[in-house]
Coordinates of all heavy atoms in Angstrom, one line a residue:
T285 N -57.7 -147.0 16.5 CA -57.8 -145.8 15.7 C -57.2 -144.6 16.5 O -57.2 -144.7 17.8 CB -59.2 -145.4 15.4 OG1 -60.0 -145.2 16.6 CG2 -59.9 -146.5 14.6
M286 N -56.7 -143.6 15.8 CA -56.3 -142.4 16.5 C -56.5 -141.3 15.5 O -56.1 -141.4 14.3 CB -54.8 -142.5 16.9 CG -54.3 -141.3 17.7 SD -52.7 -141.5 18.4 CE -53.1 -142.5 19.8
Q287 N -57.1 -140.2 16.0 CA -57.4 -139.0 15.1 C -56.2 -138.1 15.0 O -55.6 -137.7 16.0 CB -58.6 -138.3 15.7 CG -59.0 -137.0 14.9 CD -59.6 -137.4 13.6 OE1 -60.5 -138.2 13.5 NE2 -59.1 -136.8 12.5
V288 N -55.8 -137.7 13.8 CA -54.8 -136.7 13.6 C -55.5 -135.3 13.7 O -56.5 -135.1 13.0 CB -54.1 -136.8 12.2 CG1 -53.1 -135.6 12.0 CG2 -53.5 -138.1 12.1
P289 N -55.1 -134.4 14.6 CA -55.7 -133.1 14.7 C -55.8 -132.4 13.4 O -54.7 -132.3 12.7 CB -54.8 -132.3 15.7 CG -54.2 -133.4 16.6 CD -54.0 -134.6 15.6
N290 N -56.9 -132.0 12.9 CA -57.1 -131.3 11.6 C -56.6 -132.2 10.5 O -56.1 -131.7 9.5 CB -56.4 -130.0 11.6 CG -56.9 -129.0 12.7 OD1 -58.1 -128.9 12.8 ND2 -56.0 -128.4 13.4
G291 N -56.7 -133.5 10.7 CA -56.2 -134.4 9.7 C -57.0 -135.7 9.6 O -58.2 -135.7 10.1
P292 N -56.5 -136.8 9.1 CA -57.3 -138.0 8.9 C -57.4 -138.8 10.1 O -56.6 -138.6 11.1 CB -56.5 -138.7 7.8 CG -55.1 -138.3 8.1 CD -55.2 -136.9 8.5
M293 N -58.3 -139.8 10.1 CA -58.3 -140.8 11.1 C -57.3 -141.9 10.7 O -57.2 -142.3 9.6 CB -59.7 -141.5 11.2 CG -59.9 -142.6 12.2 SD -59.7 -141.9 13.9 CE -61.2 -141.0 14.0
L294 N -56.5 -142.2 11.7 CA -55.5 -143.3 11.5 C -56.1 -144.6 12.0 O -56.7 -144.7 13.1 CB -54.2 -143.0 12.2 CG -53.4 -141.7 11.8 CD1 -52.2 -141.6 12.6 CD2 -53.1 -141.7 10.3
N295 N -55.9 -145.7 11.3 CA -56.3 -147.0 11.6 C -55.1 -147.9 11.7 O -54.2 -147.9 10.9 CB -57.3 -147.5 10.6 CG -58.5 -146.7 10.5 OD1 -59.5 -147.0 11.2 ND2 -58.6 -145.7 9.6
F296 N -55.1 -148.8 12.7 CA -54.0 -149.7 12.9 C -54.6 -151.1 13.1 O -55.4 -151.4 13.9 CB -53.2 -149.3 14.2 CG -52.6 -148.0 14.1 CD1 -53.3 -146.9 14.5 CD2 -51.3 -147.8 13.7 CE1 -52.8 -145.6 14.4 CE2 -50.8 -146.5 13.6 CZ -51.5 -145.4 14.0
F297 N -54.2 -152.0 12.2 CA -54.6 -153.4 12.2 C -53.4 -154.3 12.5 O -52.4 -154.3 11.7 CB -55.2 -153.8 10.8 CG -56.5 -153.0 10.5 CD1 -56.4 -151.8 9.9 CD2 -57.7 -153.5 10.8 CE1 -57.5 -151.0 9.5 CE2 -58.9 -152.8 10.5 CZ -58.8 -151.6 9.9
Y298 N -53.4 -155.0 13.5 CA -52.3 -155.9 13.9 C -52.9 -157.1 14.7 O -53.9 -157.0 15.3 CB -51.2 -155.2 14.7 CG -51.7 -154.5 15.9 CD1 -51.6 -155.0 17.2 CD2 -52.4 -153.2 15.8 CE1 -52.0 -154.4 18.3 CE2 -52.8 -152.6 17.0 CZ -52.6 -153.2 18.2 OH -53.1 -152.5 19.3
K299 N -52.2 -158.2 14.6 CA -52.7 -159.5 15.2 C -52.6 -159.5 16.7 O -51.6 -159.1 17.3 CB -51.9 -160.7 14.6 CG -52.3 -161.0 13.1 CD -51.5 -162.1 12.5 CE -51.8 -163.4 13.1 NZ -53.2 -163.9 12.7
K300 N -53.7 -160.0 17.3 CA -53.7 -160.0 18.7 C -52.8 -161.1 19.4 O -52.5 -161.0 20.6 CB -55.2 -160.3 19.2 CG -55.7 -161.7 18.7 CD -57.2 -161.9 19.2 CE -58.1 -161.0 18.6 NZ -59.6 -161.3 18.9
D301 N -52.3 -162.0 18.5 CA -51.4 -163.0 19.1 C -49.9 -162.7 18.9 O -49.1 -163.5 19.1 CB -51.7 -164.4 18.4 CG -51.6 -164.4 16.9 OD1 -51.3 -163.3 16.3 OD2 -51.8 -165.4 16.2
L302 N -49.6 -161.4 18.6 CA -48.2 -161.0 18.6 C -47.7 -161.1 20.1 O -48.4 -161.0 21.0 CB -48.1 -159.5 18.2 CG -48.2 -159.2 16.7 CD1 -48.4 -157.7 16.5 CD2 -47.0 -159.8 16.0
P303 N -46.4 -161.3 20.2 CA -45.7 -161.3 21.5 C -46.0 -159.9 22.2 O -46.2 -158.9 21.6 CB -44.2 -161.4 21.2 CG -44.2 -162.1 19.9 CD -45.4 -161.6 19.1
A304 N -46.0 -160.0 23.6 CA -46.4 -158.8 24.4 C -45.6 -157.6 24.0 O -46.1 -156.5 23.9 CB -46.2 -159.2 25.8
E305 N -44.3 -157.8 23.7 CA -43.4 -156.6 23.4 C -43.9 -156.0 22.1 O -43.9 -154.7 22.0 CB -42.0 -157.1 23.3 CG -41.0 -156.0 22.8 CD -39.6 -156.5 22.5 OE1 -39.4 -157.7 22.7 OE2 -38.8 -155.6 22.1
N306 N -44.3 -156.8 21.1 CA -44.7 -156.3 19.8 C -46.1 -155.6 20.0 O -46.3 -154.6 19.3 CB -44.8 -157.4 18.8 CG -43.4 -158.0 18.5 OD1 -43.2 -159.2 18.6 ND2 -42.4 -157.2 18.1
L307 N -46.9 -156.1 20.8 CA -48.2 -155.5 21.0 C -48.0 -154.1 21.6 O -48.7 -153.1 21.2 CB -49.1 -156.4 21.9 CG -49.6 -157.7 21.3 CD1 -50.3 -158.5 22.4 CD2 -50.6 -157.4 20.2
E308 N -47.1 -154.0 22.6 CA -46.8 -152.7 23.2 C -46.3 -151.7 22.1 O -46.6 -150.5 22.1 CB -45.9 -152.9 24.3 CG -45.6 -151.5 25.0 CD -44.6 -151.7 26.2 OE1 -44.1 -152.9 26.4 OE2 -44.3 -150.7 26.9
N309 N -45.4 -152.3 21.2 CA -44.8 -151.4 20.2 C -45.9 -150.9 19.3 O -45.8 -149.7 18.9 CB -43.8 -152.2 19.4 CG -42.5 -152.5 20.2 OD1 -42.3 -151.9 21.2 ND2 -41.8 -153.5 19.7
W310 N -46.9 -151.7 18.9 CA -48.0 -151.2 18.0 C -48.8 -150.2 18.7 O -49.3 -149.2 18.1 CB -48.8 -152.4 17.6 CG -48.3 -153.1 16.4 CD1 -47.3 -154.0 16.3 CD2 -48.6 -152.8 15.0 NE1 -47.0 -154.4 15.0 CE2 -47.8 -153.7 14.2 CE3 -49.5 -151.9 14.4 CZ2 -47.9 -153.7 12.8 CZ3 -49.6 -151.9 13.0 CH2 -48.8 -152.8 12.2
K311 N -49.0 -150.3 20.0 CA -49.7 -149.2 20.8 C -48.9 -147.9 20.7 O -49.4 -146.8 20.5 CB -49.9 -149.6 22.2 CG -50.9 -150.8 22.4 CD -52.3 -150.4 22.0 CE -53.3 -151.5 22.3 NZ -54.7 -151.2 21.9
N312 N -47.6 -148.0 21.0 CA -46.8 -146.8 21.0 C -46.5 -146.2 19.7 O -46.2 -145.0 19.6 CB -45.4 -147.2 21.7 CG -45.6 -147.5 23.2 OD1 -46.5 -147.1 23.8 ND2 -44.6 -148.4 23.7
L313 N -46.7 -147.0 18.6 CA -46.5 -146.5 17.3 C -47.5 -145.5 16.9 O -47.3 -144.5 16.1 CB -46.6 -147.7 16.3 CG -46.7 -147.4 14.8 CD1 -45.4 -146.8 14.3 CD2 -47.1 -148.6 14.0
Q314 N -48.7 -145.5 17.5 CA -49.8 -144.8 17.0 C -49.7 -143.3 17.2 O -49.9 -142.5 16.3 CB -51.1 -145.3 17.7 CG -51.4 -146.7 17.3 CD -52.5 -147.4 18.1 OE1 -53.4 -146.8 18.7 NE2 -52.4 -148.7 18.2
S315 N -49.2 -142.8 18.3 CA -48.9 -141.4 18.5 C -47.8 -140.9 17.6 O -47.8 -139.8 17.1 CB -48.7 -141.0 20.0 OG -47.5 -141.7 20.4
K316 N -46.8 -141.8 17.4 CA -45.7 -141.4 16.5 C -46.2 -141.2 15.1 O -45.7 -140.3 14.3 CB -44.6 -142.5 16.5 CG -43.8 -142.6 17.8 CD -42.9 -141.4 17.9 CE -42.0 -141.5 19.1 NZ -41.1 -140.3 19.3
T317 N -47.2 -142.0 14.7 CA -47.7 -141.9 13.3 C -48.5 -140.6 13.1 O -48.4 -140.0 12.1 CB -48.6 -143.1 13.0 OG1 -47.9 -144.3 13.3 CG2 -49.0 -143.2 11.5
V318 N -49.1 -140.2 14.2 CA -49.8 -138.9 14.2 C -48.7 -137.8 13.9 O -48.9 -136.9 13.0 CB -50.5 -138.6 15.5 CG1 -51.0 -137.1 15.5 CG2 -51.7 -139.5 15.7
E319 N -47.6 -137.8 14.6 CA -46.6 -136.8 14.4 C -46.0 -136.9 12.9 O -45.7 -135.9 12.3 CB -45.4 -137.1 15.4 CG -45.8 -136.8 16.8 CD -44.6 -137.0 17.7 OE1 -43.7 -136.1 17.7 OE2 -44.5 -138.0 18.5
M320 N -45.8 -138.1 12.4 CA -45.3 -138.3 11.0 C -46.3 -137.6 10.1 O -45.9 -136.9 9.1 CB -45.2 -139.7 10.7 CG -44.2 -140.5 11.5 SD -44.3 -142.3 11.1 CE -43.6 -143.0 12.5
M321 N -47.6 -137.9 10.2 CA -48.6 -137.4 9.3 C -48.6 -135.9 9.3 O -48.7 -135.2 8.3 CB -50.0 -137.9 9.7 CG -51.1 -137.4 8.8 SD -51.1 -138.0 7.1 CE -51.6 -139.7 7.3
Q322 N -48.4 -135.3 10.5 CA -48.4 -133.9 10.6 C -47.1 -133.3 10.0 O -47.2 -132.3 9.3 CB -48.4 -133.5 12.1 CG -49.8 -133.7 12.8 CD -49.8 -133.5 14.3 OE1 -48.8 -133.9 15.0 NE2 -50.8 -132.9 14.8
Y323 N -46.0 -134.0 10.1 CA -44.7 -133.5 9.6 C -44.8 -133.5 8.0 O -44.5 -132.5 7.4 CB -43.6 -134.4 10.0 CG -42.2 -133.9 9.5 CD1 -41.5 -133.0 10.3 CD2 -41.7 -134.3 8.3 CE1 -40.2 -132.6 9.9 CE2 -40.5 -133.8 7.8 CZ -39.8 -133.0 8.6 OH -38.5 -132.5 8.2
F324 N -45.3 -134.6 7.5 CA -45.3 -134.7 6.0 C -46.3 -133.7 5.4 O -46.1 -133.1 4.4 CB -45.6 -136.1 5.6 CG -44.6 -137.1 6.0 CD1 -45.0 -138.4 6.4 CD2 -43.3 -136.9 5.9 CE1 -44.1 -139.3 6.8 CE2 -42.3 -137.8 6.3 CZ -42.8 -139.0 6.8
S325 N -47.5 -133.5 6.1 CA -48.5 -132.6 5.6 C -47.9 -131.2 5.6 O -48.2 -130.4 4.8 CB -49.7 -132.7 6.4 OG -50.4 -133.9 6.2
E326 N -47.1 -130.9 6.6 CA -46.6 -129.5 6.8 C -45.5 -129.3 5.8 O -45.4 -128.2 5.2 CB -46.0 -129.3 8.2 CG -45.4 -127.9 8.4 CD -44.8 -127.7 9.7 OE1 -45.0 -128.6 10.6 OE2 -44.1 -126.7 9.9
H327 N -44.6 -130.2 5.5 CA -43.4 -130.0 4.8 C -43.5 -130.4 3.3 O -42.7 -130.0 2.5 CB -42.2 -130.8 5.4 CG -41.7 -130.2 6.7 ND1 -42.3 -130.5 7.9 CD2 -40.8 -129.3 6.9 CE1 -41.7 -129.9 8.8 NE2 -40.8 -129.1 8.3
I328 N -44.6 -131.1 2.9 CA -44.8 -131.4 1.5 C -46.2 -130.8 1.0 O -46.3 -130.0 0.2 CB -44.8 -132.9 1.2 CG1 -43.6 -133.6 1.9 CG2 -44.8 -133.2 -0.3 CD1 -43.6 -135.1 1.8
G329 N -47.3 -131.3 1.6 CA -48.6 -130.8 1.3 C -49.6 -131.6 2.1 O -49.3 -132.7 2.6
K330 N -50.8 -131.0 2.4 CA -51.7 -131.6 3.3 C -52.3 -132.9 2.7 O -52.6 -133.0 1.5 CB -52.9 -130.7 3.5 CG -53.9 -131.2 4.5 CD -55.0 -130.1 4.8 CE -56.1 -130.7 5.7 NZ -55.5 -131.2 7.0
Y331 N -52.3 -134.0 3.6 CA -52.9 -135.3 3.2 C -54.3 -135.1 2.9 O -55.1 -134.5 3.7 CB -52.7 -136.2 4.4 CG -53.2 -137.6 4.1 CD1 -52.5 -138.5 3.4 CD2 -54.5 -138.0 4.6 CE1 -53.0 -139.8 3.1 CE2 -55.0 -139.3 4.4 CZ -54.2 -140.2 3.7 OH -54.7 -141.5 3.4
P332 N -54.8 -135.5 1.7 CA -56.1 -135.1 1.2 C -57.2 -136.1 1.5 O -58.4 -135.8 1.3 CB -55.9 -135.0 -0.3 CG -54.9 -136.1 -0.6 CD -54.0 -136.1 0.6
Y333 N -56.9 -137.3 2.0 CA -58.0 -138.2 2.3 C -58.4 -138.2 3.8 O -57.7 -137.6 4.6 CB -57.5 -139.6 1.9 CG -57.1 -139.8 0.5 CD1 -55.7 -139.9 0.2 CD2 -58.0 -139.7 -0.6 CE1 -55.3 -140.1 -1.2 CE2 -57.6 -139.9 -1.9 CZ -56.2 -140.0 -2.2 OH -55.8 -140.1 -3.5
D334 N -59.5 -138.9 4.1 CA -60.0 -138.9 5.5 C -59.5 -140.0 6.3 O -59.9 -140.1 7.5 CB -61.5 -138.9 5.4 CG -62.1 -137.5 4.9 OD1 -61.3 -136.5 5.0 OD2 -63.2 -137.5 4.3
Q335 N -58.8 -141.0 5.8 CA -58.3 -142.1 6.6 C -56.9 -142.5 6.0 O -56.7 -142.4 4.9 CB -59.3 -143.2 6.7 CG -59.4 -144.1 5.5 CD -58.4 -145.4 5.6 OE1 -57.8 -145.6 6.6 NE2 -58.4 -146.1 4.5
Y336 N -56.1 -143.1 6.9 CA -54.9 -143.8 6.5 C -54.8 -145.0 7.5 O -55.0 -144.9 8.7 CB -53.7 -142.9 6.6 CG -52.4 -143.6 6.1 CD1 -52.1 -143.6 4.7 CD2 -51.6 -144.3 7.0 CE1 -51.0 -144.2 4.2 CE2 -50.5 -145.0 6.5 CZ -50.2 -145.0 5.1 OH -49.1 -145.6 4.6
S337 N -54.4 -146.2 6.9 CA -54.3 -147.4 7.7 C -52.9 -148.0 7.7 O -52.3 -148.1 6.6 CB -55.3 -148.5 7.1 OG -56.6 -148.0 7.3
V338 N -52.4 -148.4 8.9 CA -51.1 -149.1 9.0 C -51.5 -150.5 9.4 O -52.1 -150.8 10.4 CB -50.3 -148.5 10.1 CG1 -48.9 -149.2 10.2 CG2 -50.0 -147.0 9.8
I339 N -51.1 -151.5 8.5 CA -51.7 -152.8 8.6 C -50.5 -153.8 8.6 O -49.6 -153.8 7.8 CB -52.5 -153.1 7.3 CG1 -53.6 -152.1 7.2 CG2 -53.2 -154.5 7.4 CD1 -54.3 -152.2 5.8
Q340 N -50.6 -154.7 9.6 CA -49.6 -155.8 9.6 C -50.0 -156.8 8.5 O -51.1 -157.3 8.3 CB -49.7 -156.6 11.0 CG -48.7 -157.7 11.1 CD -48.9 -158.5 12.3 OE1 -49.8 -158.3 13.2 NE2 -48.1 -159.6 12.5
G341 N -48.9 -157.0 7.7 CA -49.1 -157.9 6.5 C -47.9 -157.9 5.6 O -46.9 -157.2 5.9
G342 N -48.0 -158.5 4.5 CA -47.0 -158.5 3.5 C -45.7 -159.1 3.9 O -45.7 -160.1 4.7
D343 N -44.6 -158.6 3.5 CA -43.3 -159.2 3.7 C -42.2 -158.3 4.1 O -41.0 -158.6 4.1 CB -42.8 -160.0 2.5 CG -42.6 -159.2 1.3 OD1 -42.9 -157.9 1.3 OD2 -42.2 -159.7 0.2
G344 N -42.5 -157.1 4.5 CA -41.6 -156.1 4.9 C -42.3 -154.7 5.1 O -42.8 -154.5 6.1
G345 N -42.3 -153.9 4.0 CA -43.0 -152.7 4.0 C -43.3 -152.3 2.6 O -42.4 -152.3 1.8
M346 N -44.5 -151.9 2.3 CA -44.9 -151.5 0.9 C -46.1 -150.5 1.0 O -47.0 -150.8 1.7 CB -45.2 -152.7 0.1 CG -45.5 -152.4 -1.4 SD -44.1 -151.6 -2.2 CE -45.0 -151.0 -3.7
E347 N -46.0 -149.5 0.2 CA -47.0 -148.4 0.2 C -48.1 -148.8 -0.8 O -47.9 -149.3 -1.8 CB -46.3 -147.1 -0.2 CG -45.9 -147.0 -1.7 CD -44.6 -147.6 -2.0 OE1 -44.0 -148.2 -1.2 OE2 -44.2 -147.5 -3.2
Y348 N -49.3 -148.3 -0.4 CA -50.5 -148.5 -1.2 C -51.4 -147.3 -1.0 O -51.1 -146.4 -0.2 CB -51.2 -149.8 -0.9 CG -50.3 -151.0 -1.1 CD1 -49.7 -151.7 0.0 CD2 -50.0 -151.5 -2.4 CE1 -48.9 -152.7 -0.2 CE2 -49.2 -152.5 -2.6 CZ -48.6 -153.2 -1.5 OH -47.7 -154.2 -1.7
A349 N -52.6 -147.3 -1.7 CA -53.5 -146.2 -1.6 C -54.1 -146.1 -0.2 O -54.8 -147.1 0.3 CB -54.6 -146.4 -2.6
M350 N -53.9 -145.0 0.5 CA -54.4 -144.8 1.9 C -54.0 -145.8 2.9 O -54.6 -145.9 4.0 CB -56.0 -144.8 1.9 CG -56.6 -143.7 1.0 SD -58.4 -143.7 1.3 CE -59.0 -143.1 -0.3
C351 N -53.0 -146.6 2.6 CA -52.5 -147.6 3.6 C -51.1 -148.1 3.3 O -50.6 -147.8 2.2 CB -53.5 -148.8 3.6 SG -53.5 -149.8 2.1
T352 N -50.6 -148.8 4.2 CA -49.4 -149.6 4.0 C -49.5 -150.9 4.7 O -50.2 -151.1 5.6 CB -48.1 -148.9 4.6 OG1 -47.0 -149.6 4.4 CG2 -48.3 -148.7 6.1
L353 N -48.8 -151.9 4.1 CA -48.7 -153.2 4.7 C -47.2 -153.4 5.2 O -46.3 -153.2 4.4 CB -49.0 -154.4 3.7 CG -50.4 -154.9 3.7 CD1 -51.4 -153.8 3.4 CD2 -50.6 -156.1 2.8
I354 N -47.1 -153.7 6.5 CA -45.7 -153.8 7.1 C -45.7 -155.1 8.0 O -46.7 -155.5 8.5 CB -45.3 -152.6 7.9 CG1 -46.3 -152.4 9.1 CG2 -45.2 -151.4 7.1 CD1 -45.8 -151.3 10.0
T355 N -44.6 -155.7 8.1 CA -44.5 -156.8 9.0 C -44.4 -156.2 10.4 O -43.9 -155.1 10.7 CB -43.2 -157.6 8.8 OG1 -42.1 -156.8 8.6 CG2 -43.4 -158.5 7.5
G356 N -45.0 -157.0 11.4 CA -45.2 -156.4 12.7 C -44.3 -156.9 13.8 O -44.3 -156.2 14.9
K357 N -43.5 -157.9 13.6 CA -42.7 -158.4 14.7 C -41.3 -157.7 14.6 O -40.3 -158.2 14.1 CB -42.5 -159.9 14.6 CG -43.7 -160.7 14.9 CD -43.5 -162.2 14.8 CE -44.7 -163.0 15.2 NZ -44.5 -164.5 15.1
R358 N -41.3 -156.4 15.1 CA -40.2 -155.6 15.0 C -39.9 -154.9 16.3 O -40.8 -154.7 17.1 CB -40.4 -154.5 13.9 CG -40.6 -154.9 12.5 CD -41.1 -153.8 11.6 NE -41.2 -154.2 10.2 CZ -40.3 -154.0 9.3 NH1 -39.1 -153.5 9.7 NH2 -40.4 -154.3 8.1
K359 N -38.6 -154.5 16.5 CA -38.3 -153.6 17.6 C -39.0 -152.3 17.3 O -39.3 -151.9 16.2 CB -36.8 -153.4 17.7 CG -36.0 -154.7 17.9 CD -36.2 -155.2 19.4 CE -35.3 -156.4 19.7 NZ -35.6 -157.0 21.0
F360 N -39.1 -151.5 18.4 CA -39.9 -150.3 18.3 C -39.3 -149.3 17.2 O -40.0 -148.8 16.4 CB -40.1 -149.6 19.6 CG -40.9 -148.4 19.5 CD1 -42.3 -148.5 19.2 CD2 -40.4 -147.1 19.8 CE1 -43.1 -147.3 19.1 CE2 -41.2 -146.0 19.7 CZ -42.5 -146.1 19.4
G361 N -38.0 -149.2 17.3 CA -37.4 -148.3 16.3 C -37.6 -148.7 14.9 O -37.8 -147.9 14.0
S362 N -37.5 -150.0 14.6 CA -37.7 -150.5 13.3 C -39.2 -150.3 12.9 O -39.4 -149.9 11.7 CB -37.4 -152.0 13.3 OG -37.7 -152.5 12.0
L363 N -40.1 -150.5 13.8 CA -41.5 -150.4 13.5 C -41.8 -148.9 13.1 O -42.5 -148.6 12.1 CB -42.4 -150.8 14.7 CG -43.9 -150.9 14.4 CD1 -44.2 -152.0 13.4 CD2 -44.6 -151.2 15.7
V364 N -41.3 -148.0 13.9 CA -41.5 -146.6 13.6 C -40.8 -146.2 12.3 O -41.4 -145.5 11.4 CB -41.0 -145.7 14.7 CG1 -41.0 -144.2 14.3 CG2 -41.8 -145.9 16.0
G365 N -39.6 -146.7 12.1 CA -38.9 -146.3 10.9 C -39.6 -146.8 9.6 O -39.7 -146.1 8.6
V366 N -40.0 -148.1 9.6 CA -40.7 -148.6 8.4 C -42.0 -147.9 8.1 O -42.4 -147.6 7.0 CB -40.9 -150.1 8.4 CG1 -41.9 -150.5 9.4 CG2 -41.2 -150.7 7.1
T367 N -42.7 -147.5 9.2 CA -44.0 -146.8 9.1 C -43.7 -145.4 8.5 O -44.4 -144.9 7.6 CB -44.7 -146.7 10.4 OG1 -45.0 -148.0 10.9 CG2 -46.0 -146.0 10.2
A368 N -42.7 -144.8 9.0 CA -42.3 -143.4 8.5 C -42.0 -143.5 7.0 O -42.5 -142.6 6.2 CB -41.1 -142.9 9.2
H369 N -41.3 -144.5 6.6 CA -40.9 -144.6 5.1 C -42.2 -144.8 4.3 O -42.4 -144.2 3.3 CB -39.9 -145.7 4.9 CG -39.4 -145.8 3.5 ND1 -38.3 -145.1 3.0 CD2 -39.9 -146.6 2.5 CE1 -38.2 -145.4 1.8 NE2 -39.1 -146.3 1.4
E370 N -43.0 -145.8 4.7 CA -44.1 -146.2 3.9 C -45.2 -145.1 3.9 O -45.8 -144.8 2.9 CB -44.7 -147.5 4.4 CG -43.7 -148.7 4.4 CD -43.0 -148.9 3.1 OE1 -43.5 -148.5 2.0 OE2 -41.9 -149.4 3.1
L371 N -45.4 -144.4 5.0 CA -46.3 -143.3 5.1 C -45.8 -142.2 4.2 O -46.6 -141.6 3.4 CB -46.5 -142.8 6.5 CG -47.3 -141.6 6.7 CD1 -48.7 -141.8 6.2 CD2 -47.4 -141.2 8.2
A372 N -44.5 -141.9 4.1 CA -44.0 -140.8 3.3 C -44.3 -141.2 1.8 O -44.4 -140.2 1.0 CB -42.5 -140.7 3.5

Side-chain angles (χ1 to χ4, degrees):
T285 64
M286 185 171 282
Q287 180 69 52
V288 177
N290 300 312
M293 180 65 70
L294 299 180
N295 297 273
F296 300 86
F297 296 87
Y298 55 101
K299 286 176 70 69
K300 63 179 66 173
D301 55 2
L302 281 170
E305 177 187 358
N306 297 124
L307 289 172
E308 182 180 2
N309 290 343
W310 274 85
K311 292 291 185 184
N312 294 334
L313 170 68
Q314 296 169 26
S315 60
K316 290 289 187 182
T317 309
V318 170
E319 293 183 70
M320 296 172 203
M321 179 65 76
Q322 292 173 315
Y323 184 92
F324 298 140
S325 288
E326 177 184 351
H327 289 84
I328 312 171
K330 185 174 175 57
Y331 181 80
Y333 303 108
D334 291 335
Q335 76 93 8
Y336 184 86
S337 296
V338 181
I339 307 169
Q340 183 186 358
D343 61 356
M346 181 64 192
E347 71 278 3
Y348 301 102
M350 302 189 207
C351 67
T352 181
L353 266 61
I354 61 175
T355 46
K357 291 183 179 180
R358 296 171 176 266
K359 298 292 185 182
F360 183 63
S362 174
L363 189 65
V364 172
V366 71
T367 302
H369 183 88
E370 303 309 335
L371 175 58

